[in-house]
């Protein structure tokens, strides 16, 4: 309470006790200093001069019962003491709200009618914690509420009517895998032209081209060579940054965004073989790669994709299987811990 | 008898108390449990106080990147979750939503956006940083419905004129724009052509060419606040060199920016955000960094949300900062 408010109080009002009347008609005497912690009571005393005697007791709102009033006064008694630390107050508050739901509801209602905002906030938070994570049925049970809503009002979730585009996605994944194999073959041919001595046998090379397990060390070496070559090329360039936007492509926050065109939409709808051709001429940049993902997660995704492919192929007609046969015969190289895979991002 | 009294008490509990309690709960609680308990709670759930801001920034799409348009494939389940939450929250809000925030990785579809636009005619502020799946007609249709729109956070797009033209035609009070991505000369000239009365512009954490910045300062005469904090400022050079990074803002730019109420800059080597922008080559990959970092902004009106004690998301306005305090290592 401000000094101005205190100045308004008449000397005869400055008594240590005031009289309060609760909803059931019972009147009780309360320390004025504590009671005035409630804005509503403070207002009644200052503006109307009420509560000075039993005959002119302050009538409290309907929702304030004697039990809730005593709880509220306990709260006020603790909090109006000036020297307490925040830690003490917090600890007291935690203990204070340990009560059954019924009493907590009544206390919230009473505190609100007395305009005691700190207590309303405290009890509201406690009630919110009770409600959190509960189903409507559980909430009704806890608070003894009626189930008086119609089915329409309960707003059931929408049914999903959209077509599942996973098949088209799988086609794209297979197409990318085949493109990568062709790319490796081309790189190998270039290396042969440069007269690099390759100590592997013809059988090994053929099995590598066909996608069978080659020597992982060899693969790693070629990758490192490529990395070193790229590094050298970058150092030769004076520019410290890549051009952010190319002629027909802008990558935004890791997502590739291109000019919208009917052509792209048409390509998306085409068959698997057509998609393969489209992929053959496209470079994948860093935005398409997801690094830093747990190898265990990658393996899990590998298994899921293989399993999905297996189930998908068992359902498809034979002619569709023939279309994808080239992709299925080879080992799934797309989803490997070292490969440039499309992975679900843990963003 | 006591039990009946108890039921009566709960139903008599002031709606504003229920609203106060519900304000402490998140969007998932409001849409799944609370609104389906009873008619009294349902009524409290429709209170406009709960729906001034619909913050979906904790909701992300489960997606993988694909090489063809729209460059993302969103998992059906996360799409259904978004549709369900939109359907329920837009029904409960009864057209009172004024601020709508989507997560950086929440890929909204055309249908979802137009459905939302029809049910948020009062919308003043939209945060939509990714719209790979939204086609031009869908975006235009949505903007036509948002006549009160004042503020937009959008991605950098390849063809900006159509969207800016729609905004200039239909959103007469539009004044604040935040672009999440590089702003090139085409974007800047589109801004000058269609939104010359823009008052607040944020281009933070992106690559920005000096001539683009000068064009913005020259052509946007009503501009009051410009945020280029943590930008990689570049200068185009003649043929062999092509470009170089500008380490500090020169006199020309300072002079042109002197008319602004606020010109927010940060180009400190010690600043973590500046380092990140450079590492990501002027195209910051927000998903690599702390959750929610993409939402922060030094400007007065871009601090989208704060977590309060009960994890409820509350819309706030940041205090004004003259210069960004560098987040030192």
């Amino acid at each position: 309470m401000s000094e101005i408010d205190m100045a308004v109080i008449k000397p005869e009002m400055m008594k240590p006790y005031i009289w309060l009347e609760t909803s059931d008609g019972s009147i009780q005497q309360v320390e004025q200093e504590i009671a005035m912690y409630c804005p509503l009571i403070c207002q009644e005393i200052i503006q109307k001069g009420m509560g000075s005697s039993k005959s002119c007791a302050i009538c409290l709102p309907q929702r304030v019962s004697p039990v809730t009033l005593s709880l509220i006064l306990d709260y006020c008694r603790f909090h109006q003491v000036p020297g307490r630390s925040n830690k003490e107050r917090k600890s007291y508050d935690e203990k204070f709200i340990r009560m059954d739901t019924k009493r907590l509801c009544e206390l919230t209602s009473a505190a609100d009618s007395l305009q005691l905002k700190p207590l309303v906030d405290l009890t509201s938070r406690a009630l919110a914690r009770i409600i959190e994570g509960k189903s409507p049925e559980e909430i009704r049970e806890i608070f003894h509420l009626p189930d008086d809503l119609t089915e329409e009002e309960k707003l059931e979730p929408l049914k999903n009517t959209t077509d599942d585009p996973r098949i088209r996605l799988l086609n794209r994944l297979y197409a990318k895998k085949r493109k990568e194999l062709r790319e490796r073959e081309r790189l190998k041919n270039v290396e042969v032209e440069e007269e690099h001595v390759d100590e592997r046998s013809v059988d090994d090379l053929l099995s590598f081209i066909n996608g069978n397990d080659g020597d992982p060390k060899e693969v790693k070496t070629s990758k490192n060579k490529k990395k070193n070559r790229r590094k050298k090329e970058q150092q030769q360039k004076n520019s410290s940054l890549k051009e952010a936007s190319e002629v027909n492509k802008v990558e935004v926050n890791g997502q590739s965004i291109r000019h919208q065109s009917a052509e792209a939409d048409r390509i998306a709808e085409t068959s698997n073989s057509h998609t393969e051709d489209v992929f053959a001429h496209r470079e994948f940049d860093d935005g398409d790669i997801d690094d830093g993902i747990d190898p265990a997660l990658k393996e899990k995704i590998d298994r899921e994709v293989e399993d999905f492919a297996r189930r998908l192929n068992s359902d498809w007609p034979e002619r569709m299987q023939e279309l994808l046969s080239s992709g299925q015969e080879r080992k799934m190289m797309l989803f490997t811990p070292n490969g440039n895979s499309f992975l679900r991002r843990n963003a | 008898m006591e039990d009946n009294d108890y039921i009566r008490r709960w139903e008599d509990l002031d709606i504003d108390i229920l609203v106060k309690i519900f304000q402490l709960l998140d969007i998932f609680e409001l849409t799944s449990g609370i609104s389906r308990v009873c008619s009294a709670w349902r009524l409290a759930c429709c209170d406009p106080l709960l729906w001034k801001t619909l913050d979906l920034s904790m909701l992300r799409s489960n997606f993988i990147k694909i090489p063809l348009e729209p460059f993302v494939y969103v998992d059906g389940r996360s799409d259904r979750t978004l549709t369900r939450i939109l359907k329920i929250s837009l029904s409960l809000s009864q057209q009172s939503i004024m601020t709508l925030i989507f997560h950086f990785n929440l890929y909204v579809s055309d249908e979802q956006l137009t459905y939302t636009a029809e049910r948020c005619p009062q919308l003043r502020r939209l945060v939509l940083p990714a719209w790979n799946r939204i086609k031009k007609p869908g975006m235009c249709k949505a903007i036509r419905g948002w006549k009160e729109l004042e503020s937009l956070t959008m991605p950098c797009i390849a063809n900006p004129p159509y969207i800016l033209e729609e905004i200039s035609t239909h959103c007469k009070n539009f004044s604040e724009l935040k672009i999440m991505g590089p702003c090139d000369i085409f974007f800047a000239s589109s801004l000058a052509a269609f939104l010359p009365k823009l008052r607040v512009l944020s281009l933070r954490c992106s690559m920005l060419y000096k001539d683009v910045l000068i064009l913005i300062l020259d052509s946007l005469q009503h501009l009051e606040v410009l945020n280029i904090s943590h930008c990689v400022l570049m200068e185009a050079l003649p043929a062999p060199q092509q470009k170089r990074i500008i380490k500090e803002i020169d006199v020309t730019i300072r002079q042109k920016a002197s008319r602004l109420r606020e010109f927010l800059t940060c180009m400190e080597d010690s600043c973590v955000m500046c380092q990140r922008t450079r590492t990501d080559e002027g195209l910051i990959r927000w998903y690599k960094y702390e959750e929610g970092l993409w939402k922060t902004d030094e400007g007065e009106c871009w601090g989208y949300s704060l977590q309060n004690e009960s994890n409820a998301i509350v819309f706030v306005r940041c205090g004004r900062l003259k210069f960004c305090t560098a987040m030192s290592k």
Side-chain angles (χ1 to χ4, degrees), chain A residues 282-298:
Chain A
R282 190 182 174 278
E283 282 292 319
F284 285 81
D285 56 17
D286 291 342
D288 296 319
I289 300 162
D290 264 313
D291 296 326
I293 289 176
D294 183 31
L297 177 64
K298 286 189 179 184

Side-chain angles (χ1 to χ4, degrees), chain A residues 63 105 148 154 251 287 347, chain B residues 10 12 36 39 60 65 283:
Chain A
R63 288 179 185 169
C105 296
D148 58 357
K154 284 179 186 175
E251 195 203 71
Chain B
W10 248 109
D12 284 353
R36 292 191 281 152
S39 52
R60 287 167 295 185
K65 283 180 277 182
L283 221 164

Side-chain angles (χ1 to χ4, degrees), chain A residues 18-24 26-31 34-36 38 40-41 58-77 96 103 106-111 113-114 116 119, chain B residues 9:
Chain A
I18 55 158
W19 299 85
L20 302 175
E21 188 181 341
T22 51
S23 55
D24 64 344
S26 64
I27 296 170
Q28 49 182 295
Q29 211 177 14
V30 177
E31 302 101 301
I34 291 161
M36 283 182 79
C38 296
L40 185 94
I41 296 171
I58 296 167
C59 285
L60 297 176
Q62 186 68 35
R63 288 179 185 169
V64 186
S65 66
V67 181
T68 52
L69 179 63
S70 70
L71 280 169
I72 287 166
L73 291 171
D74 286 344
Y75 177 85
C76 295
R77 196 171 283 116
F96 181 77
R103 189 159 288 175
E106 288 171 354
L107 188 59
T108 309
S109 195
S113 60
L114 290 172
L116 189 54
L119 185 54
Chain B
R9 271 191 177 282

